[in-house]
Amino acid sequence: MQYGKHPLFLFSFISVIVVAIPIRFIRNIPLLGKAIVSSSNTTMLTTLRITVFILVTLMLLTSIFNLDIALGAFLAGILINVVLKTFSPQQGEEISHKVEVVGFSFLIPVFFITNGMNIDLFKVLAEWQLLIAMVIFIVIVRGLIVFLRESLTKTYSDLETRTEKIALGLYSATGLPIIVAVTSIAEIAGIIESDISAIIITSGGITVLIFPFIANIILSKKV
């Protein structure tokens, strides 16, 4: 289904409406706003429910307008922040913590599980040269740059030894979450094929599995 030449503008407009109407309504009825805030720490978890409602609504809109789902989640975060600052600034940190709990305990694991299920490990291992090349590329782009910056410039990180800087570079080279997110978007957009996406994601998994382990060994041997 087509929604004109500018679905992004239409999506943005509807997103603002989704949040603006409830804000206007609550402002006209102050007692309602107080009731929502006061019940946020009860079993009703009103503010968390509203947050999830906004998140789900905007993510559904991205699907309707054939936009990336990450855009809906990102915009939901911005709008929710506006709502919290409008009605209850002190609730912002608390709601953020609750959303993190929901995300890290349920939504994010499901995201990684679904991506992992789409990877054919045998096909990935068949392209082991490309897999190794991707791991090396990640080390150079993410880890080596951090190491060189720590070594050649003043970063005020208080890392004095070369061992610590190497360990920091290895930790910085771990990149599974961002790699999964970006490759998923690129695959959906048709920029890369599923086989290449699987190799890139697997290389990201290798960085998370190996690099922190090596960094810990290096740090444990530091005199």
Side-chain angles (χ1 to χ4, degrees), residues 7 9-10 20 33 36 47 53 67 69 75 98 109-110 116 124 139 146-147 149 154 158 162 176 178 191:
F9 293 106
L10 184 57
I36 292 175
T47 49
F53 169 75
L67 300 172
I69 194 171
L75 188 56
K98 291 179 180 178
V110 170
V124 172
V139 172
V146 172
F147 171 75
R149 187 171 185 272
K154 192 171 184 179
D158 295 329
R162 188 176 183 181
L176 182 59
I178 184 63
I191 299 175

Side-chain angles (χ1 to χ4, degrees), residues 130-142 203 207 211:
L130 182 57
L131 180 63
I132 294 175
M134 280 303 307
V135 174
I136 295 174
F137 178 75
I138 294 173
V139 172
I140 295 173
V141 172
R142 295 173 63 93
S203 66
T207 65
F211 292 169

Side-chain angles (χ1 to χ4, degrees), residues 111-120 201:
F111 174 72
F112 282 109
I113 289 172
T114 54
N115 278 275
M117 290 174 63
N118 293 327
I119 294 177
D120 189 332
I201 292 175

Side-chain angles (χ1 to χ4, degrees), residues 30-215:
L31 289 177
L32 180 60
K34 292 181 180 179
I36 292 175
V37 173
S38 62
S39 62
S40 62
N41 291 320
T42 65
T43 55
M44 294 180 66
L45 296 173
T46 310
T47 49
L48 180 59
R49 291 172 186 263
I50 294 174
T51 300
V52 174
F53 169 75
I54 294 174
L55 174 62
V56 172
T57 301
L58 296 186
M59 291 173 70
L60 286 174
L61 283 175
T62 57
S63 178
I64 293 174
F65 291 110
N66 294 320
L67 300 172
D68 188 79
I69 194 171
L71 176 62
F74 178 72
L75 188 56
I78 295 177
L79 296 178
I80 290 168
N81 183 53
V82 172
V83 173
L84 291 175
K85 286 185 177 180
T86 301
F87 293 106
S88 182
Q90 67 275 15
Q91 294 282 334
E93 185 175 347
E94 179 184 344
I95 296 301
S96 177
H97 175 69
K98 291 179 180 178
V99 172
E100 286 179 357
V101 170
V102 174
F104 286 114
S105 62
F106 178 67
L107 298 178
I108 292 178
V110 170
F111 174 72
F112 282 109
I113 289 172
T114 54
N115 278 275
M117 290 174 63
N118 293 327
I119 294 177
D120 189 332
L121 188 59
F122 294 103
K123 286 185 178 181
V124 172
L125 294 178
E127 299 289 343
W128 61 270
Q129 301 97 330
L130 182 57
L131 180 63
I132 294 175
M134 280 303 307
V135 174
I136 295 174
F137 178 75
I138 294 173
V139 172
I140 295 173
V141 172
R142 295 173 63 93
L144 182 60
I145 290 178
V146 172
F147 171 75
L148 292 176
R149 187 171 185 272
E150 288 290 333
S151 301
L152 303 177
T153 63
K154 192 171 184 179
T155 61
Y156 303 98
S157 62
D158 295 329
L159 299 180
E160 299 178 354
T161 66
R162 188 176 183 181
T163 299
E164 292 176 326
K165 295 174 183 178
I166 292 175
L168 177 62
L170 288 170
Y171 282 125
S172 301
T174 58
L176 182 59
I178 184 63
I179 290 174
V180 171
V182 172
T183 52
S184 298
I185 294 172
E187 184 180 348
I188 293 173
I191 299 175
I192 60 175
E193 297 180 356
S194 59
D195 292 345
I196 300 299
S197 175
I199 293 173
I200 296 174
I201 292 175
T202 304
S203 66
I206 292 174
T207 65
V208 174
L209 179 65
I210 295 179
F211 292 169
F213 178 71
I214 297 175

